[in-house]
């Protein structure tokens, strides 16, 4: 196989989409050092306090990503022609040992960063973003664009500081993220206490509730987001529950009244031009997903992210 | 347990949401005389002419309401701090005797009214609104804000005057509702005869079709609704089928082209300030609900209603 | 049975919607020569390259169409009072012989045209539109209004020229459609090669992507569509996947970010006044449809189309 | 169509099983006076005290019966060559009026009996057996072979004497059945009171629990059943819940530990030679049936019953 | 409410099975000190190495147990007349802290034992049996009758000694169980290493594979089991996966070729006369359970166990 | 990776079963020339006359086979220690060209045979067995042990000689199979014409209906099967529909009254000692499979077949 074909999806007009073992976007399996963009899974949901199942996310997103194609219909971005992309497998996790998993995930992403690849990840619950950030950390806090129904900035739940409601508080405390350059978009849903948003606000994180998003419109809010993070190294975290459960029912903490999948695509497209050092899509829980539409949505948004990331890398490399 | 804790939801950071027997919003079971706002079920669908299942609505909404929390993220309303709220159980029904059920339901709500509590009910099919109104009746017709795909003002179906397509005609005839202060919002779906809307119009009921709702916008229509009912005692009836079946598939008579769950939340929030003497959410049919999203939507809207009702009561009491 | 009753749906206030064998909209079975508008099925999915199941579309749409009624709530169109409408059965197909099926379908629609009836069809996959057009062909290319996520104008897939990705290219080549009067609305989804849209554009087909549709709005785009086809004989093809999978999950090639069912209804209503010589709704795949909402959506859109077609026929006949 | 073809199923090697509107076993629709054996539906579940849905039984059994064929593989019985068989539609029912439904069903079956046809019915809940027996009654109590998990001989439930737990008590009281020639097979499941079986035993009904059935074996028990009813006119009632819910989950009152579908087939085959004046399969509830296997099981058992009934009629007629 | 009624299920002929909040068998909620037999849940699945969901077991078994009744149809055991039985709620668990959960569960069961009640538990995954045994421990190892597809006597999985594959090894090591009086019935399924059974055999545990069970028959094997444990204090652990997935699909580690639900009932009935100090049913995973049949099976077996346990207690008390 | 590890499943105590892209039994991907036993898929269902979906069989069986382990619990067969086994991918198919698919499949299996590997295949519909046999053909007709509800020896359906109801007639006609050494086990289900079995009987094929299988018992029938094929080169074809739909609902032509999965395992184990030159499991249709149990059953039976085949090869090689 020529090197070019090595990093191309299988030709769906020759090999049916339902054939063969499924990898992300029907790409080859490869090691991180071979690629520019590494599609990886983190099948861990040990931080979930209520409805689990996100551990099955990577496999089912792989299955549904067999419906992906090569060229973006609107931007005509063609990521596989710009960058070497492959399925680099799953981070090592231990389903019955949270600490070991956090360590293993961090090490795995450290190696990806070391290899010079940029990871695009499918979780897992939102706790996995913490060890990803640890692994990718290079001494300076990153900016963050975060799509979610929840801030995930609790201090503790059930007396533990490491669960899927706390990763962004920990990441700020650990110096992995700079709260002044963090924006959380799509927030909604009742809260446990009126003080729940206080820490985030005091830390300087920009909170954009669904009401503001709808009132100002996506273009305006995303312009603000782009201005906030500028050309800094930015991580993107996409919790599938920012999307309304009509469009993405397969998630552990659904909140009605969310964005549509059309809006979700536009949110992601507005990331064009940012300096993205990693991105994730988390909280896809296949056992809760009736017809597979949530995993399909995740796979499609993964392609949207891939287009933005590959074009950004090419632009920074002067290769596009 | 202190009286304060008695009317608080279980702490979801200490007792997992999936633990224990499920009550509405994880509240205590209590008698109506102990509370200000009574969350109750009416598990009756004997008025359903086609697809049944709404009898299972209260139980499944209880299950899904374990995802509810305490404070509204946008209004910061905190109903459990304002009012005593509890799960007051289900009205007595006889699944094979419609007349006995209508009587039992009316008596049950009469006792709630007698006890001084305001009921927030989960049905059951829409016929249950009739005996609820009978039970709550105090001599003067109430105003009504009614969200629904259908007017439910038929005279007869299958030769019977008491079924889920007739409650509002009966209620007007019985003097329970004042048609001049009734508004029905979200209407759509083909009809059996062009004359189907005639009675309602002649009676003076304000019909707002989905087309008008979308054209004028929710703010405008709801301003009209608030103006129409003013400060009169008002009942609110929310048929889940006003929502599009993509968002709420689990219902007996789905009509495509409905409001989104985001819009549904806004419709309810616009009820703030009204003098609500009772409210219901009906026609949730769990056997027809693939992933539970309909019951979740009902539970969330129940919380939205609760916020509006508790704040209204507090304002009228001068306690907020 | 009087002739009038012969072409009326069963009375749902006398015969329950769940009773009896299901036909389209609970109409009688009849031969094409008895009717003005023939509701027919084409249960064939042998052109499907990935996920099949559309062969089961006609039966399940018949089942769900038991929820249809007689009069359009907004336009008050009353198709059964305007035209003789019936269920004229399914086209003959051979599930294991594509060529024989294409021939059988074309012959079947040729006979409908011969009988003077206008067909409103439920597929089947999109390949079935090709033999329908062949059967209805009368010497001059027709105009086309086409709702779809995909152009279906590939030249070949898997080395075959006849599959569900190629019908409109074949139809143009065969002189069945005039590309200059073809408009495709709702396009989206990644493509295999950047050149995928070239043929259609060069042929003169008007491509309206979802982004343009949302930006300009439905009214504006549909005004253009009506202007494009004018009073020419026009065929309407509605691929259910133009609708977002939240609203219509049961289809073989879902693409997120599509139109809502509310928007779909408006798209169809804008066809009022066109000279429609046939219409279809295709790619409904019941095995992939969790709660039946896709078939219900197809049945409702079938009624929307029926209203537009019956009123158009009546207007042209001077009978309305 | 020749008279012979009129009463034959569609040829599944020419018209696919998924094509066309579905009737029982893909037979023609006909009036009772045209046939020897009338396949009919009774879509009524207004006697159901807990989980409804059996009203949808006839339609879904029609759908699944498209998998039926013509000749029994073991007995080589060929019912469509022996007798005129057709789908005679559904009994008239009123979903919101139990009394009217009981009357309508009885009249419908009275007309079938009057026409000289023998009905093979799909319910509906078990209450429908009572009006069927009333309609078929000819002055002398019939014998009964009854397969069920429950005796359905309660006196009252919820204070009503007519519900799906009481039909056989009413039928004995009304002189429709002779308790001394009644046998109930497959009984199991906890009961409300130890005295629940007393009435049946005192009336002389033979109760065969699942434990006895398994210990003695099907051959032995069915020999007893045949001996009990002899050559008397016998009605057969098959409640699908006699089958284990692994094989038939789609029913309102499932009881684990039931017979397998293989055993169910054998139970039915042992009815060969009896003088069957009518038979039913009841309590199939499609909304509770995950994959359609319950309706498929009912359709297959319907064919098993049809073989036994057609051969019995032919033998009594001297035509086989 | 009289004390007698306090410990009776709701009357299903007066209060429908679908009404009200669901408790185990529609019993009252009570404290352990009020009852003889405590029905409890342990909603914990943090020991699960692959497919989770058993944390939702107690709630869904409560829901399905609304189908339970009062008197055993075969033994005529009437547990609620013999003993005070109630729903005593769920053990405290921490979904993101395994150690804390193990401690909390053990304490909870210690208090039940202290109160003099005998617990009948619904899990949770199989790890929960370990802290239950710890809580019930009274200084002398208990005998065990264990139904399962797996021995659950691994030493470590994923480097942890506490997960759902290890509880019985730990329990033996901790002196909670006496391996010489342990019998495991229904074992099957491929294993990781041929040595997997060595530890159990060397410890003296009696392993009965499904092949032996089927060959010798249930009566013979259970006679051996009864002889093995004699009149010693015995714990009973029933892993739902001993049952074939056709009957009980909703479990994390299904193994085909298991016992039927009929056989499962017989296995439990053979426990009559044993001195049972506690029992559990574990590994019911509702998210994996299509139609609820697994939770229904668990609820029914819970009733079977309750009958055996209540009769045994009464016999030992001399009260039956 | 050492050569030994190259052909071992991933260690499920170190890498969770839900992690990574799924291959058959979590084995490596390899070329046929590297292995002794090649696990392959044939994702083709273009021969299916009614309900499709078997094209998705290989992928879903790969997913479910992540639950497989290494050593047979009863025979202690350890196939991965005996033989080199790997996932050799899927045969090339064209979903819209039957003839090309038949050719491609035959060529693929010809190459496997050429490479000296023995294939164990997951279909696909039953038509795929024909090109497999063509590819494996070496000049002399093979013996066949065939488990199925249907004989699949039709001459034509829908006028075509190549569909999933005809492969064994074609294979006999083409000299690929010797009818005198063919046995078909588990037959049942109504037939289209009494003459349907005539060709098979006249050709000398041994037909064992389910009634005979149950009467004589599995041991006796399989002894006859072993005697019939002796030490000849034998192909094994396992149609999943030989199993009852309670155990394996996900198939296109289910027939109630089939074997249990326990019986299916025993049928396969009785193949020990035969000279198996290839085997397949076909007609697994994931879109029709509610909870995945059918694919799990196929995966488990694939392991049962693998054990028998690996031990047989080892014995013939003198290496076991």
């Amino acid at each position: 196989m020529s090197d070019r074909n090595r990093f191309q999806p299988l030709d769906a007009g020759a090999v049916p989409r339902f054939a063969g073992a499924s990898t992300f976007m029907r790409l080859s399996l490869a090691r991180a050092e071979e690629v520019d963009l590494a599609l990886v899974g983190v099948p861990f949901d040990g931080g979930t306090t209520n409805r689990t199942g996100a551990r099955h996310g990577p496999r089912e997103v792989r299955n549904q990503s067999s419906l992906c194609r090569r060229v973006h219909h609107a931007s005509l971005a063609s990521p596989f022609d710009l960058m070497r992309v492959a399925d680099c497998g799953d981070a090592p996790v231990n389903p019955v040992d949270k600490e070991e998993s956090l360590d293993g995930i961090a090490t795995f992403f450290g190696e990806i960063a070391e290899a010079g690849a940029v990871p695009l990840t499918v979780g897992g619950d939102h706790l996995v973003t913490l060890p990803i950030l640890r692994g990718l950390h290079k001494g300076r806090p990153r900016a963050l664009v975060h799509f979610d129904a929840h801030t995930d900035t609790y201090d503790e739940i059930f007396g533990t500081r490491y669960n899927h409601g706390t990763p962004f508080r920990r990441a700020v405390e650990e110096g992995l993220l700079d709260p002044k350059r963090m924006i959380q978009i799509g927030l909604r849903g009742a809260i446990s206490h009126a003080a729940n948003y206080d820490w985030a606000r005091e830390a300087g994180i920009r909170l954009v509730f669904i009401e503001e998003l709808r009132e100002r419109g996506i273009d305006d809010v995303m312009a603000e987001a782009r201005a906030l993070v500028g050309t800094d190294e930015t991580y993107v975290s996409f919790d599938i529950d920012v999307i309304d459960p009509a469009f993405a029912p397969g998630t552990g903490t659904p909140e009605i009244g969310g964005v549509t999948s059309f809006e979700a695509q536009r949110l992601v497209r507005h990331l064009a031009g940012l300096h993205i050092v990693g991105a994730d899509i988390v909280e896809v829980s296949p056992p809760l997903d009736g017809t597979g539409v949530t995993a399909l949505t995740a796979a499609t948004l993964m392609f949207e992210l891939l287009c933005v990331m590959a074009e950004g890398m090419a632009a920074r490399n002067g290769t596009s």
Side-chain angles (χ1 to χ4, degrees), chain A:
Chain A
M1 164 166 38
S2 74
D3 189 64
R4 185 184 148 79
N5 278 340
R6 170 141 175 69
F7 298 110
Q8 293 291 318
L10 286 176
D11 179 354
V15 183
R17 295 186 183 284
F18 47 79
S22 50
T23 57
F24 285 124
M25 300 184 191
R26 312 185 82 213
L27 291 161
S28 302
L29 293 168
R31 285 166 296 110
E33 44 264 52
E34 300 178 77
V35 302
D36 302 304
L37 274 154
L39 309 186
V40 297
V42 183
F44 183 73
D45 62 11
T48 302
T49 53
N50 186 8
R51 308 194 308 169
T52 53
R55 62 178 67 183
H56 302 287
R59 180 165 294 171
E60 188 57 18
V61 174
R62 280 187 176 94
N63 280 346
Q64 292 285 343
S65 75
S66 64
L67 284 162
C68 289
R69 299 193 196 86
R70 299 171 189 227
V71 180
H72 194 281
H73 77 278
S75 70
L76 297 183
S78 184
F80 309 111
D81 293 330
L82 293 173
M83 292 290 143
R84 293 169 300 163
V85 189
D87 184 330
C88 294
D90 282 3
V93 299
N94 184 331
V96 284
D97 190 325
K98 188 169 66 177
E99 284 67 33
E100 184 183 320
S101 297
L102 293 180
D103 289 347
I105 298 166
T107 301
F108 180 84
F109 281 87
E111 290 164 358
I112 289 175
E114 190 75 20
V118 171
L120 173 50
T121 304
V122 174
D125 68 34
H126 222 152
L127 179 54
V128 308
T129 302
L130 180 62
I132 292 173
L133 290 170
R134 286 173 177 167
L136 299 182
H137 190 54
K138 289 198 174 164
R140 193 169 167 263
R142 259 70 179 250
L144 177 78
V145 183
H146 175 193
F147 305 101
D148 204 330
H150 315 95
T151 61
D152 292 353
T153 53
Y154 275 86
D155 189 23
E156 287 192 355
I157 305 179
F158 288 100
T160 76
R161 292 164 48 81
Y162 299 97
N163 59 61
H164 73 153
T166 64
F168 294 101
R169 186 139 170 183
R170 289 297 92 77
V172 168
E173 292 170 350
E174 297 182 12
L176 308 171
L177 294 174
D178 172 5
K180 300 290 189 294
R181 289 175 294 143
M182 284 172 65
I183 183 166
Q184 300 185 314
I185 298 169
L187 302 174
R188 66 188 187 280
I191 49 180
S192 299
H193 301 286
N196 277 171
Y197 298 125
D198 290 355
W199 180 87
R201 286 188 169 121
E202 285 163 19
I205 301 173
R206 175 70 172 96
L207 307 187
V208 182
F209 287 81
I210 188 72
E211 287 79 10
E212 179 182 350
L213 180 65
R214 283 271 160 73
E215 196 170 328
R216 290 173 54 193
I218 285 173
D219 291 359
D220 196 34
V221 166
M222 289 306 296
E224 177 187 347
R226 283 200 309 274
L228 184 71
V229 304
T231 57
D232 290 355
E233 291 187 350
T234 298
Y235 189 81
V236 176
S237 189
F238 195 102
D239 188 320
I240 202 76
D241 69 23
V242 76
I243 301 178
D244 192 275
F247 297 80
T251 193
T253 319
E255 302 285 351
I256 69 167
V259 304
T260 67
S261 60
F262 180 81
E263 292 168 332
Q265 290 175 296
R266 263 115 213 100
L267 288 168
V268 171
R269 289 178 197 172
H270 274 293
L271 300 172
L274 300 191
H275 186 172
I276 300 173
V277 296
D280 62 49
I281 300 174
V282 297
E283 297 284 356
V284 176
S285 178
L288 305 171
D289 192 14
T291 58
V293 73
T294 310
L296 173 66
T297 300
T300 308
L301 292 173
M302 200 183 185
F303 182 77
E304 295 272 0
L305 278 164
L306 180 65
C307 288
V308 165
M309 292 165 79
E311 292 213 311
M313 291 171 78
R316 286 191 299 281
N317 293 352
T319 61
S320 72

